[in-house]
Amino acid sequence: MGFTKRGKSWVALTLAIMLAVLAACSQSGGGEGANNADNQSETGSESGGSSAFELWLGWSATINNESLVQKYWRETEPGVDVKLEATQGDAMTALNLRINTGGFEDAAIFNRSETVKSAMDRSNLIMPLEQYFDMPDKYPGLASIPKPYLERMKDADGHIWSIPTWFDQNPDDPWPGWSSMTWAVRTDIVEKAGMKLEDLATLEGVETFLRKAAGLKDESGKALQPLSFLMDPNDTLGYNDENAVLSAFGVTTGGAGIAKKGDEFVFAYDDPNYKAAYQWMNKMYREQLIDPEVVTNKKEQYQERNKSGRVAMNVGAFWNIPPTSWETLDGPTEPAWYYEVIPFPKVEGVEAVGVNQVVNPYPGYDVYVSKDTKNLEAILKFFDYALQPKPEMQQIINEGPAGQYWDWVDQPLGKWKFTDEAYKEDRNSGDQALKAKVTPELYMISSFSNTWYPWWNTAEADKAGAAKTTKFTEAIGQMGGVRAAHSYDLVPVKQGGLWEKYTPELENIRKEYRAKLLMAKDDKAFEDAWNAFRDALEKRGHWTELKQEWQESYQADIETNGEF
């Protein structure tokens, strides 16, 4: 199931390459890597005296290593020259190729993933780092990382193989996150349909609205698309637009896609309402109330239709609409101004909204350090700086310190704004090359805090519509689809196990059959597609075996780390 947000799908060839490469790599342990780390600690400046290192990013990005923020790091604080390299294409394919050709030079950062962790561990190319988290005099930032995060990272020998980043500084009071999974409707269309927002409180009310919207036209005279969403080929079970419908039907897809009901765990694909949700979508599709091109729409097409006013209602992440459609407006001058988020409509027989987002204070990224790096001290110095437990630290990493290119409007931890007009112009230009001239936008190498979050406190908004995004996300967070993480959301995948092996195939199956379920021509065709989906889960995805392995991993995890 989808464990990482916005994860890329893996084709069978990539999986085959990965398994072949991993099989050729020896299991990493406390030997060579541990000795190397100890030696570097002892020799000090001989092994790690450089003030520069290369950081390989496990994602695509526009890089300009002379950016103003990197220049500040190099010349002022922390006095480290960070040279960035981005990944081209699929991250796992790139990682496997690197592993197979000797690895990376200094450090690499990837989204936290059991697949990446397993590949790194087996490569015998990285060093253990646990000793550096217990040196408060030398590395206070690293020592400030909450101990629960570090404890869960230890292997059987007590080694920690990465520097965790992008975690909540206070796991007991986590920032709720950018909640975005919603039902969004245009209030102007609701009004034209002769209805009120309260009329959309039930699924039946939504259906009535969609049928009325189907008879209306946009400003150019074209028929409205009553309902639409983005079927992104790169989405996952944990993050896709259909999850807004699944939530209304009580299906949990957030976290590991597992709900605990009493003493039993229910996996999303086994929840009877997973089928019911797709039956409803199929019904709407057959009635031509869902965009007939929803399966083939490119993201650009989908967004243009929303911006131009062709769509009456959306389900899914409002990032896909996208928010810039209303953030650039000062009033009701364009159709997007009228978007409003509404509570998940009540579905008969469903007692509670399904969880689509788990608020996870645990680290979202891992920094791996090459056992052969000659720049260990520079790496440790930089991440010690980046991981200082200041509420504004992600803003400092992203835009430089207060007083450099931005500053507080009135008081620290209040509103802020950019103070350097040239920086601001490039930063907000929308041109990735211009933005890269000023900042590499590496907020994820720091941490965050509920005490103060920069983009909920900006005074930069020069358009009235910009305030809508924060308003929307705060409202969505209270609609029942968001909850804090539990231990069963964070069960580590068994290295070399079935989940690691078959997760890519599960995603292939989900994406293949969601389209067939949505577009089934009649009830019989839907049932045939559903039965084929269940058959594929078992035969291609080894579904029953996967769930058994998960139960075993869960028991082992709570015996080691406890249950919460």
Side-chain angles (χ1 to χ4, degrees):
M1 302 172 107
F3 292 101
T4 57
K5 291 177 75 173
R6 306 175 189 258
K8 291 186 179 292
S9 61
W10 299 317
V11 294
L13 177 59
T14 300
L15 180 60
I17 293 172
M18 180 182 75
L19 295 176
V21 169
L22 297 185
C25 297
S26 60
Q27 178 70 35
S28 64
E32 186 177 350
N35 291 336
N36 188 68
D38 291 339
N39 291 339
Q40 294 213 9
S41 177
E42 291 168 6
T43 56
S45 60
E46 285 184 23
S47 62
S50 170
S51 60
F53 73 95
E54 292 188 5
L55 179 63
W56 178 35
L57 309 179
W59 58 86
S60 299
T62 301
I63 298 297
N64 181 338
N65 278 314
E66 294 302 316
S67 73
L68 294 180
V69 169
Q70 286 167 275
K71 183 180 179 182
Y72 177 86
W73 294 342
R74 180 173 67 243
E75 298 180 357
T76 308
E77 188 182 26
V80 177
D81 185 10
V82 185
K83 295 295 186 183
L84 304 174
E85 179 189 358
T87 295
Q88 302 301 319
D90 180 74
M92 278 308 305
T93 302
L95 174 59
N96 292 325
L97 290 173
R98 283 289 181 98
I99 288 174
N100 204 31
T101 54
F104 48 92
E105 186 167 337
D106 292 317
I109 181 170
F110 278 79
N111 285 85
R112 174 156 288 195
S113 159
E114 289 296 327
T115 306
V116 171
K117 180 177 181 291
S118 178
M120 289 288 194
D121 285 353
R122 296 178 188 184
S123 71
N124 198 32
L125 295 173
I126 60 175
M127 68 168 65
L129 301 166
E130 63 277 357
Q131 60 179 308
Y132 305 111
F133 303 120
D134 196 25
M135 296 181 178
D137 293 338
K138 188 173 184 181
Y139 304 117
L142 297 180
S144 73
I145 298 172
K147 294 300 184 282
Y149 304 158
L150 296 173
E151 287 299 315
R152 289 188 69 90
M153 293 173 66
K154 289 181 178 178
D155 66 11
D157 298 319
H159 293 307
I160 297 175
W161 296 91
S162 63
I163 299 172
T165 68
W166 200 238
F167 52 81
D168 201 302
Q169 294 170 12
N170 184 358
D172 297 322
D173 182 26
W175 176 65
W178 285 98
S179 304
S180 66
M181 198 60 60
T182 190
W183 294 57
V185 67
R186 278 176 48 199
T187 55
D188 59 329
I189 303 301
V190 174
E191 185 177 339
K192 288 179 181 178
M195 300 178 70
K196 299 178 180 179
L197 290 181
E198 306 90 82
D199 298 329
L200 308 182
T202 66
L203 198 64
E204 291 77 14
V206 168
E207 290 183 18
T208 298
F209 167 72
L210 296 179
R211 293 185 181 106
K212 289 187 175 184
L216 301 176
K217 299 183 184 299
D218 67 10
E219 293 179 353
S220 67
K222 295 179 180 178
L224 286 175
Q225 299 292 352
L227 179 64
S228 191
F229 50 91
L230 181 66
M231 298 184 79
D232 191 331
N234 294 320
D235 65 22
T236 67
L237 173 70
Y239 191 82
N240 67 76
D241 275 5
E242 296 111 291
N243 285 356
V245 178
L246 289 164
S247 284
F249 278 79
V251 180
T252 288
T253 55
I258 301 171
K260 190 173 186 181
K261 299 184 178 181
D263 294 328
E264 300 294 320
F265 292 106
V266 179
F267 292 73
Y269 296 143
D270 294 339
D271 190 319
N273 277 352
Y274 187 93
K275 177 182 181 181
Y278 275 95
Q279 282 178 312
W280 182 79
M281 286 186 273
N282 174 244
K283 174 186 174 184
M284 295 298 98
Y285 186 83
R286 282 154 55 184
E287 289 187 32
Q288 299 182 355
L289 299 177
I290 290 179
D291 183 349
E293 298 178 355
V294 67
V295 174
T296 56
N297 272 340
K298 302 297 184 185
K299 190 170 187 175
E300 294 76 13
Q301 290 176 295
Y302 171 78
Q303 293 184 337
E304 179 54 36
R305 289 182 183 182
N306 278 294
K307 188 174 181 180
S308 65
R310 289 291 309 282
V311 181
M313 173 180 273
N314 285 272
V315 290
F318 67 62
W319 301 116
N320 289 332
I321 291 178
T324 51
S325 300
W326 56 75
E327 288 177 343
T328 55
L329 305 177
D330 248 334
T333 54
E334 299 288 343
W337 176 267
Y338 296 97
Y339 271 119
E340 187 63 61
V341 298
I342 61 173
F344 296 98
K346 177 67 178 174
V347 177
E348 185 177 356
V350 175
E351 296 181 0
V353 170
V355 173
N356 56 63
Q357 179 182 338
V358 168
V359 177
N360 180 5
Y362 280 74
Y365 290 79
D366 288 287
V367 178
Y368 298 92
V369 178
S370 169
K371 68 177 184 179
D372 296 323
T373 181
K374 295 179 173 59
N375 302 306
L376 177 61
E377 181 55 37
I379 297 168
L380 295 173
K381 182 180 180 181
F382 178 74
F383 283 99
D384 183 67
Y385 167 76
L387 294 173
Q388 295 175 81
K390 299 177 181 179
E392 69 273 28
M393 201 62 216
Q394 65 159 305
Q395 173 77 346
I396 293 172
I397 286 295
N398 221 48
E399 316 291 355
Q404 187 74 18
Y405 304 114
W406 65 277
D407 212 341
W408 307 110
V409 171
D410 44 13
Q411 60 184 348
L413 303 188
K415 295 290 185 180
W416 68 272
K417 67 177 182 179
F418 288 116
T419 54
D420 185 308
E421 286 302 316
Y423 183 99
K424 176 182 176 179
E425 183 177 351
D426 286 343
R427 173 71 174 80
N428 295 337
S429 66
D431 184 318
Q432 292 302 314
L434 289 177
K435 182 188 288 187
K437 285 174 56 180
V438 296
T439 175
E441 207 167 19
L442 290 181
Y443 60 86
M444 72 288 292
I445 66 175
S446 61
S447 57
F448 55 90
S449 171
N450 200 19
T451 301
W452 187 82
Y453 199 84
W455 294 104
W456 283 14
N457 291 280
T458 178
E460 273 301 310
D462 55 359
K463 299 290 184 181
K468 287 177 172 281
T469 301
T470 299
K471 173 190 169 186
F472 288 173
T473 197
E474 290 180 313
I476 295 165
Q478 303 301 315
M479 291 178 181
V482 181
R483 66 160 169 77
H486 296 304
S487 50
Y488 56 84
D489 298 308
L490 305 175
V491 177
V493 174
K494 181 181 178 182
Q495 292 188 12
L498 297 175
W499 274 106
E500 181 181 294
K501 182 177 181 180
Y502 291 110
T503 291
E505 185 61 14
L506 282 179
E507 273 301 301
N508 291 339
I509 294 167
R510 180 186 68 84
K511 289 172 181 174
E512 175 184 346
Y513 283 96
R514 69 174 176 178
K516 293 180 178 180
L517 292 169
L518 178 69
M519 296 191 298
K521 64 180 181 180
D522 53 34
D523 291 345
K524 181 181 183 304
F526 183 91
E527 284 299 322
D528 289 345
W530 178 258
N531 291 332
F533 170 61
R534 297 298 305 182
D535 187 59
L537 283 177
E538 285 296 339
K539 290 181 179 178
R540 290 163 49 190
H542 298 257
W543 188 231
T544 299
E545 298 169 64
L546 286 173
K547 290 184 290 183
Q548 182 178 345
E549 181 182 270
W550 182 89
Q551 289 281 358
E552 294 168 355
S553 297
Y554 171 70
Q555 289 300 324
D557 185 60
I558 62 173
E559 288 174 10
T560 301
N561 299 303
E563 189 171 17
F564 63 91

